[in-house]
Amino acid sequence: MRANLLIGVLLASSLSANASVSCPGIFQRQVNEDTKNTYYVLTFLGDLATVPAEAALRRAKLGRIETIVTPKMQDYVNKLSKRASASGPSIVLITCDFPMGAADLNRADMDDLSRRNVLATLWGGNEGDKLSVVYVSLPLYQLRMGNRRDMEVAWLRAAVTTDELDDWMRELGRDSIAQQALLALGVSLVAIKQGDWQFAKYSLCQVRSNLKLMAQEAVRPAPEELEQEIQKLLKQAMIKADQGASAAGLDLNAVQSIKLACSV
Amino acid sequence: MASMFRAWVALVIAVCLQGCATTVLTASCDNPKVSNRSIPFIYLVMLPYVYRGDSAPSEMHRSAVAALNDVARLQVVRMGAEASDMHVTLLQDGGKGCEIEMVHKAFTQKRLLKAQLLSTVVFYWGEVFEAEDRMIVQSHVRVLWKNPNDDVVSFETLLPRSDTRLRFNGMVPYSTVSFPPRDLPIGDEVGGGRLRMLLEARSGTMRGAEAVPLPKSFLINQRVGNWVELRDRETQTSSWVAVTDPGSNAKSLLPELSFAQALAAYASYSTAPNDSVAANSIRWLDEFRAAYPSTGGEAQRQSMAVADLIEAVLRLARNAGEADQLRAAELMDKAVAALPANSAALNLAGISRIERCCSTRQDAAEVQRRLDLARQLDVGNEVIAKNLLNWYRLLERKDVAVQPYDREEMRRRAEELAGALR
């Protein structure tokens, strides 16, 4: 509930002191930079026990993850855009200093975050006795009915050490197929909204290729369920991308990398 | 020569070392430069370590970071003396901070204005921060290749019963490598004095010359034999450092610099293959690995895997015999185990096995697995798709007993792929 209240404050007044302490990067950047094509991945790390209690110290420690993980995510998105001969978005990882509760981040919150170019939110969870990453793709959330829990994709964390913060850094920095595919899915749905049909189609085909492997990594929802659900969504999104391209007079099948990507 | 590198004039100093083989200059982060006096194989651009602690830096922190930078810069000077045809730029904070993304942008943005980057650039940077009562340093390295295809590694193999040579291409993954954080051994000593004592600056060009403290801020003035003169920027006094000294203390303090040096040599090798460059690169990778525990786990996974891949490629490229081949295969296997979902690593490790493949079906199946997975993970990558297609062409001519699929299935796969590539 605390997170709910904080997000409420945070969304109601983007430059309030509370907001900038809890999740500051997104606000600083929105003030200082042209953010039209910049998208954010919010990581909620407020439940880490090994970071200091004092706010400024916590902020500094959590912020380190941003500088390490952002280039890795950006590298992946750059690869997609390079292959599609498109200019993909900038991706910025932002750490938010509060724990995620079951009742937090409801649909209204997620809608608001979507308007702020938030691509995904993720936090730590438990699946049975194992630690997991819980990931919600916001563009996907926007397209589906249901509560937050239904939108979550969880996979097990590979690295478990005594230092939770470093553990997170390594987990988000490794090439987990689930993370790669969900990122590609997020940017492809955003590209459809923006009418960037080439980038959208390419990324959707990349997701389709990764789907089975991603489902195998996921522990929630069940692999078959996740695969079916995303397959359905991919079909609809592909149709949209094809129709959009056709209306714009683009022949996506004439783009070699797209032809190659979509033949898998 | 492109105007971007011709026009700048703000260099503080540019000195030719070792018969102009390696040049070193210092410049401001606000206006990052490389030398225009020659076109080396490699530019190494070193940013200063910056303090990113939890609070404003104390005098002790400031001093420790300054000392660390001295150690790092000196080590880079030593590296420059060991390398051939490298240009080193040591960047300094001009007062507005020193961020890698800004420096990197300065190099890449200019390329958009059609100016050519004259050589591949290796960037090196890092941060110092605190963890409980310890000071920690973390370093990073990034490569900006001069041309998009300069990082391509090729292997060729003869198609059985023909004169056709099949070419397989790949590359070492990651343009940026972040190293594991490591303790900075300054203890409670104010000013990081112990760090400076690791260096053996002397008052003259002899081992027996009086040991003097390394200046806080210095210019690399000249090289006389095996000694490099550092000139204190405040007092203008000189001190000398032996460049032949392996600097074991400095190297153990920042083994990541050995990785950067190996990476620079690797990039240089791709431009001008040379056995001694390959041997040096492998030696520096060994130095890097030696500084880490063999069971370092997840924190070292990425950097160790990249080190393994670089060494494997160099060993295969110089092809000095069976031992090189075996060691390369071992390193590739290790790298794939460490990076199981990295398409570039899978592809490289897959194609590197092809020439010696396949005495068993299991061998062929492993190449197939690596290439299939690489293609799935980077689905529009034409290089990987062409490798897979060539692999099918090769398999068709191999003994049926080693083929991972029946002939029909292989033909179907090959036709599908060829269709997508047309």
Side-chain angles (χ1 to χ4, degrees), chain B residues 93-397:
Chain B
D93 187 349
K96 295 180 188 165
C98 211
E99 297 289 336
I100 176 61
E101 298 310 334
M102 299 308 291
V103 172
H104 188 258
K105 209 169 173 181
F107 280 84
T108 49
Q109 260 186 348
K110 287 171 180 174
R111 297 174 85 190
L112 294 177
L113 300 176
K114 303 263 188 238
Q116 287 289 311
L117 193 60
L118 297 177
S119 298
T120 293
V121 188
V122 174
F123 298 95
Y124 182 93
W125 74 101
E127 307 94 35
V128 175
F129 53 93
E130 295 142 20
E132 295 159 0
D133 57 346
R134 297 171 300 148
M135 280 194 80
I136 306 287
V137 58
Q138 183 165 26
S139 311
H140 318 267
V141 69
R142 181 179 293 179
V143 190
L144 175 62
W145 293 91
K146 178 188 167 195
N147 298 308
N149 290 329
D150 281 358
D151 57 344
V152 171
V153 176
S154 292
F155 299 103
E156 282 192 348
T157 193
L158 196 64
L159 189 65
R161 301 183 295 283
S162 82
D163 295 332
T164 309
R165 293 198 74 78
L166 296 176
R167 176 175 275 232
F168 297 88
N169 295 322
M171 62 184 66
V172 173
Y174 300 115
S175 54
T176 302
V177 174
S178 292
F179 300 101
R182 57 171 46 250
D183 281 359
L184 195 55
I186 61 159
D188 297 327
E189 292 183 42
V190 176
R194 196 174 136 210
L195 275 182
R196 284 209 179 78
M197 292 309 290
L198 292 174
L199 302 170
E200 292 182 340
R202 307 261 163 203
S203 59
T205 59
M206 283 172 64
R207 287 271 169 215
E210 184 194 359
V212 294
L214 193 74
K216 281 187 177 175
S217 172
F218 60 87
L219 303 176
I220 300 150
N221 202 36
Q222 62 169 325
R223 178 171 177 171
V224 177
N226 287 329
W227 293 83
V228 172
E229 183 190 11
L230 310 175
R231 181 158 294 171
D232 190 312
R233 295 181 71 182
E234 279 177 21
T235 64
Q236 296 297 308
T237 52
S238 288
S239 53
W240 296 81
V241 176
V243 289
T244 49
D245 181 341
S248 55
N249 282 326
K251 279 183 176 173
S252 66
L253 189 68
L254 289 171
E256 298 85 358
L257 277 166
S258 295
F259 182 103
Q261 191 174 14
L263 184 61
Y266 171 73
S268 166
Y269 186 91
S270 73
T271 308
N274 176 311
D275 280 356
S276 73
V277 171
N280 281 338
S281 183
I282 291 170
R283 178 165 60 86
W284 293 323
L285 288 172
D286 282 342
E287 281 177 8
F288 166 70
R289 292 191 191 98
Y292 289 90
S294 57
T295 53
E298 198 60 24
Q300 299 167 201
R301 187 179 56 92
Q302 187 202 29
S303 52
M304 285 295 166
V306 174
D308 290 346
L309 289 170
I310 289 174
E311 179 172 342
V313 168
L314 288 170
R315 285 185 183 276
L316 291 171
R318 73 179 182 182
N319 199 8
E322 185 68 9
D324 262 351
Q325 296 273 344
L326 291 174
R327 176 71 178 143
E330 185 190 324
L331 290 167
M332 290 279 185
D333 289 350
K334 246 178 84 190
V336 164
L339 305 173
N342 184 288
S343 57
L346 284 160
N347 175 59
L348 187 59
I351 62 173
S352 70
R353 276 172 89 121
I354 287 175
E355 196 176 358
R356 291 160 70 88
C357 187
C358 307
S359 54
T360 64
R361 177 169 286 163
Q362 203 182 354
D363 282 349
E366 181 57 14
V367 174
Q368 183 74 44
R369 186 194 74 81
R370 289 177 183 182
L371 293 181
D372 266 342
L373 187 51
R375 167 136 169 79
Q376 271 181 285
L377 294 170
D378 191 359
V379 77
N381 188 326
E382 209 169 319
V383 169
I384 295 174
K386 282 179 175 165
N387 287 341
L388 198 50
L389 187 59
N390 274 344
W391 166 243
Y392 289 135
R393 290 177 67 196
L394 187 69
L395 267 184
E396 255 193 333
R397 307 265 179 123

Side-chain angles (χ1 to χ4, degrees), chain A residues 19 42 72 123 137 168:
Chain A
L42 300 192
K72 289 180 186 290
W123 58 89
S137 166
W168 263 103

Side-chain angles (χ1 to χ4, degrees), chain B residues 31-50:
Chain B
N31 196 15
K33 308 292 186 190
V34 289
S35 171
N36 67 341
R37 295 197 172 181
S38 61
I39 304 176
F41 289 147
I42 294 296
Y43 293 117
L44 178 66
V45 176
M46 183 179 191
L47 283 73
Y49 279 92
V50 292

Side-chain angles (χ1 to χ4, degrees), chain A residues 128-175:
Chain A
D129 60 349
K130 293 192 171 125
L131 294 172
S132 66
V133 176
V134 181
Y135 189 108
V136 176
S137 166
L138 268 63
L140 184 60
Y141 202 158
Q142 300 295 300
L143 293 175
R144 296 172 64 200
M145 300 299 289
N147 59 34
R148 193 196 82 198
R149 174 86 182 171
D150 297 334
M151 310 301 159
E152 293 173 2
V153 177
W155 66 87
L156 298 183
R157 287 159 67 176
V160 180
T161 64
T162 50
D163 186 343
E164 285 183 77
L165 195 66
D166 282 349
D167 195 17
W168 263 103
M169 217 161 344
R170 286 162 210 154
E171 174 57 39
L172 298 182
R174 81 183 173 102
D175 300 298

